[in-house]
Amino acid sequence: MVSRPLVSILMPTHCRPDVVGLAIDAVLNQTFGDFELLVVGDGAVPGTAEAVRRFDDPRIRYFDLPKAPHFGYANRNVALRESRGELIGFAADDDLLFPDHLETLVRGLARGAAIAYSQSLWVSTDGIAAPFLTNLEFPDELEAFRRANSIPASCFLYRADALPRRDAWPENVAAGADWHLWQRIIAANPRAPLTHCRTPTVMHFSARRKESRHSGMPQLAAWLHIADNVPWWPAELRVSVAPDRTEQEAYAQLMRGDPDWPSRVRRASGDLVSRLAWGIIQGAHATLDALATAQAAAPSRQRKTTAQRVIAEIGRIPRNLRRRLAP
């Protein structure tokens, strides 16, 4: 009798034979090995099947299917109907998972939630990585998530019984079906919808189809503006990409060659956020000092207006930043 794996990992692929092998390799190198990997060829271009089949691992199953509408969501459901895991995860064919990605998320789900998700490091086309820090355990960020997605699908692991059917990907939406799926799971499990694993476990790269250095994401564009204009951007988050290589190859080489790489990258990410937060506080402090001095020197009839400016300046410090810096 074949044992059932705890985790089923879904990896759709269409036109990335150049990097899908790197994505598969990152899955196979997980510290948590009780999984099956369902690689779903959605009208996959030549070379894809060969890239998948060069891995001689019984945990891999390849579905070579004709192209389905949109981003092939119907084909993902085909594979999920044959999946066997109690937990279901996702791995994009152009992302890289940290070695302890599954271990981290499985441990997160042990707390009883329907979904566990981790942080991601978004990578520009020229090799600059930056953390995305969405925390859906904050009600205001969960409300914002209901309007727009900022978490890559590779970050999620969910319970197969969180919804009545395993083949739950919406097939009638043009894009963002993963985001719709998370919304359904959260709504169907109001008592324990999700848990946030507060560490980066995914390197998320800009999809080739977007033709964008920053994946079309304003948050990453803001990070890149900082990286381009300060001398202190961490070296671990700025990797040189040769003209004949992909960003995935550059990072995969580091990941494979240095066992301490994940901890160094996570430390660099934390230091980057701390430096930025401290810079904001320092700037706000200087502004508040100047406003307070102006208030003290102002005639009494102007002090109310100056005090309002002080309050407004405090309000410009992001609410989430204030919350994270609170003791």
Side-chain angles (χ1 to χ4, degrees), residues 296-309:
S300 58
R301 66 180 180 275
Q302 296 179 4
R303 288 180 183 173
K304 181 177 180 181
T305 301
T306 306
Q308 290 171 341
R309 289 177 61 198

Side-chain angles (χ1 to χ4, degrees), residues 2-3 5 10 23 50 55 61 69 73 97 111 116 158 161 170 179 193 210 226 228 231 267 283 294 306 325:
V2 179
S3 61
L10 188 67
E50 293 78 6
F55 293 94
R61 284 194 282 167
Y73 302 132
L97 306 182
R111 305 169 198 169
Y158 65 96
D161 61 2
W179 177 61
K210 293 185 178 181
I226 296 170
D228 291 342
R267 185 165 55 247
T306 306
L325 295 176

Side-chain angles (χ1 to χ4, degrees), residues 64-316:
D64 195 0
L65 303 172
K67 183 72 185 78
H70 308 307
F71 286 95
Y73 302 132
N75 284 339
R76 302 178 191 192
N77 283 331
V78 170
L80 284 176
R81 284 192 285 271
E82 297 193 29
S83 65
R84 299 171 293 157
E86 296 176 25
L87 312 176
I88 299 175
F90 189 90
D93 64 351
D94 57 353
D95 284 354
L96 297 176
L97 306 182
F98 285 40
D100 61 351
H101 169 77
L102 280 181
E103 180 182 345
T104 300
L105 293 180
V106 169
R107 187 167 59 244
L109 280 184
R111 305 169 198 169
I115 303 176
Y117 78 98
S118 62
Q119 292 179 2
S120 61
L121 294 173
W122 287 55
V123 185
S124 68
T125 53
D126 53 345
I128 297 173
F132 269 47
L133 304 170
T134 304
N135 187 343
L136 302 182
E137 293 179 352
F138 293 146
D140 56 334
E141 293 196 28
L142 178 58
E143 184 58 34
F145 183 70
R146 292 191 172 103
R147 298 189 296 271
N149 189 13
S150 59
I151 307 174
S154 297
C155 291
F156 287 87
L157 183 70
Y158 65 96
R159 299 184 184 278
D161 61 2
L163 293 173
R165 297 170 58 100
R166 297 178 76 91
D167 53 345
W169 280 73
E171 300 179 10
N172 59 347
V173 296
D178 57 323
W179 177 61
H180 290 280
L181 179 61
W182 316 141
Q183 303 287 354
R184 286 184 55 199
I185 295 174
I186 290 170
N189 297 271
R191 291 188 177 181
L194 51 86
T195 187
H196 179 28
C197 301
R198 292 168 169 79
T199 188
T201 72
V202 173
M203 303 295 297
H204 180 63
F205 298 84
S206 181
R208 179 180 289 169
R209 60 182 170 78
K210 293 185 178 181
E211 299 181 341
S212 167
R213 182 192 182 203
H214 50 75
S215 297
M217 291 295 287
Q219 298 93 332
L220 182 55
W223 275 123
L224 295 180
H225 178 75
I226 296 170
D228 291 342
N229 289 281
V230 300
W232 43 258
W233 192 269
E236 293 85 355
L237 302 179
R238 188 194 298 272
V239 174
S240 178
V241 181
D244 60 341
R245 303 183 76 198
T246 64
E247 312 90 89
Q248 289 88 342
E249 288 176 288
Y251 274 97
Q253 182 176 357
L254 294 172
M255 190 180 295
R256 287 194 303 260
D258 183 359
D260 191 47
W261 179 85
S263 61
R264 291 194 296 105
V265 168
R266 285 166 174 157
R267 185 165 55 247
S269 175
D271 289 346
L272 175 62
V273 173
S274 296
R275 181 187 277 271
L276 182 62
W278 186 241
I280 292 172
I281 293 299
Q282 294 280 66
H285 172 69
T287 302
L288 292 174
D289 267 359
L291 290 174
T293 301
Q295 181 188 24
S300 58
R301 66 180 180 275
Q302 296 179 4
R303 288 180 183 173
K304 181 177 180 181
T305 301
T306 306
Q308 290 171 341
R309 289 177 61 198
V310 172
I311 293 170
E313 190 63 34
I314 294 173
R316 290 191 182 95

